Amino acid sequence: MTVDLLLGLQWGDEGKGKIVDVLTSKYDIIARFQGGPNAGHTLEFDGIKHVLRTIPSGIFHKNAKNIIGNGVVIDPVVFHKEIEGLAKFDMDVTSKLFISRKAHLILPTHRLLDAASEASKGKAKIGSTLKGIGPTYMDKTGRNGIRVGDIELEDFKLRYRALADKHESMIAFYDVDLQYNLQEMEDEFFASIEELKKLTFIDSEEYLNKSLKEGKTILAEGAQGSLLDVDFGTYPFVTSSNTTAAGACTGLGIAPNRVKEVYGIFKAYTTRVGSGPFPTELFDEVGSAMAKIGNEFGSVTGRARRCGWLDLVALKYAVQVNGVTELYMMKGDVLSGFDTLKICTAYKYKGKEISHLPYNIEPENVEPVYTEIKGWQADLTKMTTYDELPKELKDYIEFIEKEVEVPIKVVSVGPDRTQTITK
Ligand code: IMP
C-alpha cells in the first residue's frame, strides 16, 4: 500500500491535529516524522480539548498504531507528562505507541543551550519555543547526538555525561544570565527515561515498510509548517527540521515512490508565532479581531500569534514544494463578519511585481498586492454541508482553487471534529 502525508502549508498552527484526528479512522498507522515538543496539535471532541506534543494524533483512535519516527526529537520529560495527561482519560498507550530507536533525545542541556542562544541574539532572536529543538538537531547533524536506542546501552549514562559536560562549556561560552539547577533537571530527566523504557522501541523504518507490504495504510503527520522548513522556510526564522514532504521520507525511512496523496492544510487567513518576516501581517483592528475570534494563542507557549490576510504567493510555493494533491481550509468561521476580505496574489519585490516567493521576504523588500473579495456575515459553525455555506465564502474558496490549481476538499468551520464540511 501507499503512504499519505498531511502537512501544514503556512507557519504552523494550521489545525493539523484536528484533521489527522478526523482522517485517522481511514488509516492503520499514524506516524510523526519530524519536530518535537515544539509542536502542539490540538484536538477537540466530546467537549474536551487535548493538546498533543510528540505523540501522533491517531492515539485517540482505538485501532490505529502510532509511530514516532527517526526524524523526531523527543524530550523524555515532556513526553512523560504527555503520557500522564492521556492516562487521566483512562488511556493506556503502551499497546499502540511505538518509538523509533533512531529518534534523537532532547537533553536538559539542549533546552538550556536553546535559551542561551536566543538570549545572546537580542533583537535577532528566532522566537524559538525554547524546547531544545535547534541544539538537538545540531547534535544530530554534527554526529554527537544521543538516540532513543542508546538508552538500551550499558554506557548510556556515560554518553549522557560526556555530551552534557560539553554543553555546559558551550553554555558558559554564550556568557548570558541563565539561572538553572542542572541536578534537578537531570533527576527529572532520568526519572522520565525510566518511564520511556516502559514503551516499545522499534526499528521504525522496518516496521513501516513491512506494514506497507502487508497492505496497511499509513498517514504521515507533519508538525510546524512549510514556511518553517529549515531549507525552504523564511530562514533563519525557521525550525530545525524539514517540515515539507521530503522530510516524511527521511524522517520515516519511506521511499518517495510510496507517497500517494499529499494533504495540505492551511488557514483561511495567516498566522505566525515567533519572529520573522510575514508580508500580509495586519497591525490594525482587523488583525486583532482575527486573533480574538480565532483564539490565536500558541498551544505550547501561550504566546499571541501574529495575524494577517491569506497569502497565495506563499501558499502556491508550499503547494509546489510539497506536491499537494488536496487542500483543507481551516478556520473558515473566523472570517465571518468582515465586510471585505483581502487575498495577497503577488508581491511588489524590488520595484517589480512577482508571483513567487523570493529569497528574502523581509518587509523592506516585499509589499503584498491584494485582491479584495466580498465578505460574509453568516455564522458557519452550525453548518454541516457545502451547499449551506454562503455564496461569498464559496467565491473565496473558488478564487483560491483557481489561483493555486489544487482542489479544496474540506472546509473546517469550528474546532470540533463534527465541524468539518467536505466539498
Ligand atoms: P523552535 O522550533 O522551537 O526552535 O522554533 C523556531 C520557530 O518556529 C519559532 O518562530 C517558533 O515560534 C516556530 N515554531 C516552532 N514550532 C511551532 C509550531 O508548532 N507552531 C508554530 N510555530 C512553531
Side-chain angles (χ1 to χ4, degrees), residues 11-13 38-40 114 126-131 133-134 223-224 228 237-240 272-275 300 303:
W11 279 288
D13 309 314
N38 49 347
D114 214 357
I126 307 296
S128 161
T129 60
L130 302 181
K131 303 295 170 202
I133 307 296
Q224 290 83 46
L228 289 171
F237 301 98
V238 293
T239 191
S240 299
R272 168 159 213 176
V273 61
S275 329
V300 173
R303 291 181 292 177

Side-chain angles (χ1 to χ4, degrees), residues 360-375:
N360 185 338
I361 60 164
E362 290 296 338
E364 58 272 24
N365 295 319
V366 159
E367 191 194 322
V369 177
Y370 289 111
T371 295
E372 294 199 354
I373 295 196
K374 197 167 179 295

Side-chain angles (χ1 to χ4, degrees), residues 122-146:
K123 276 199 180 139
K125 70 175 185 178
I126 307 296
S128 161
T129 60
L130 302 181
K131 303 295 170 202
I133 307 296
T136 307
Y137 278 112
M138 278 165 69
D139 270 336
K140 173 178 175 171
T141 51
R143 297 159 296 178
N144 299 310
I146 297 188

